[in-house]
């Protein structure tokens, strides 16, 4: 038994794939052509795009700066907490010697 009809599905898939690739290529060419025409006709197109790009970059930079300041505040809080823990640890380390001194005084 031969499978003569087995290649038909693969062949139609290849035709559909090549059609889809062709359509994507056409869309890219049209988009590039429109952009080229727009920028070729109007210098303000380039200026507008650059302005938009710089605005987007400044928005992203502002967000990063905000996160940086929040992290810096958190670091200060953690440093304060570490200092408090160190103070408490030092006091706890002193307890046995103070207890020994009290026992020596018979209090």
């Amino acid at each position: 038994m031969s499978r003569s009809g087995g290649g038909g599905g693969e062949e139609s898939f290849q035709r559909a794939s090549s059609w889809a690739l062709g359509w994507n290529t056409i869309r890219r060419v049209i988009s590039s052509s429109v952009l080229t025409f727009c920028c070729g006709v109007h210098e303000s197109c380039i200026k507008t795009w650059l302005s938009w790009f710089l605005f987007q970059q400044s928005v992203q930079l502002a967000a990063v700066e905000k996160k940086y300041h929040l992290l810096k505040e958190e670091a200060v809080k953690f440093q304060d907490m570490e200092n408090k823990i160190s103070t408490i640890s030092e006091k706890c380390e002193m307890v046995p010697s103070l207890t020994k001194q009290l026992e020596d005084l018979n209090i």
Side-chain angles (χ1 to χ4, degrees):
M1 253 187 178
S2 70
R3 295 173 57 175
S4 61
E10 183 177 325
E11 184 179 311
S12 62
F13 175 75
Q14 288 175 347
R15 276 192 304 235
S17 295
S18 66
W19 181 84
L21 286 175
W23 178 245
N24 285 334
T25 304
I26 291 169
R27 286 175 44 194
R28 269 193 221 120
V29 168
I30 291 172
S31 299
S32 299
S33 299
V34 168
L35 183 61
T36 303
F37 176 76
C38 175
C39 291
V41 172
H42 301 287
E43 290 180 21
S44 64
C45 178
I46 294 172
K47 292 177 183 175
T48 303
W49 185 84
L50 286 174
S51 297
W52 174 83
F53 178 76
L54 289 174
F55 175 74
Q56 292 298 318
Q57 292 300 311
S58 67
V59 167
Q60 289 178 357
L61 180 61
V64 169
E65 284 179 340
K66 184 177 180 180
K67 289 177 184 178
Y68 170 77
H69 289 296
L70 289 173
L71 285 173
K72 193 173 180 181
E73 289 175 8
E74 289 295 316
V76 169
K77 289 178 185 177
F78 282 122
Q79 185 66 42
D80 289 343
M81 184 64 71
E82 185 178 7
N83 292 339
K84 289 177 184 178
I85 290 172
S86 293
T87 303
I88 292 170
S89 294
E90 289 171 4
K91 289 181 180 180
C92 287
E93 288 173 0
M94 292 172 45
V95 168
S97 66
L98 291 173
T99 305
K100 175 76 169 137
Q101 288 175 0
L102 287 173
E103 287 175 353
D104 290 345
L105 293 173
N106 292 322
I107 297 180

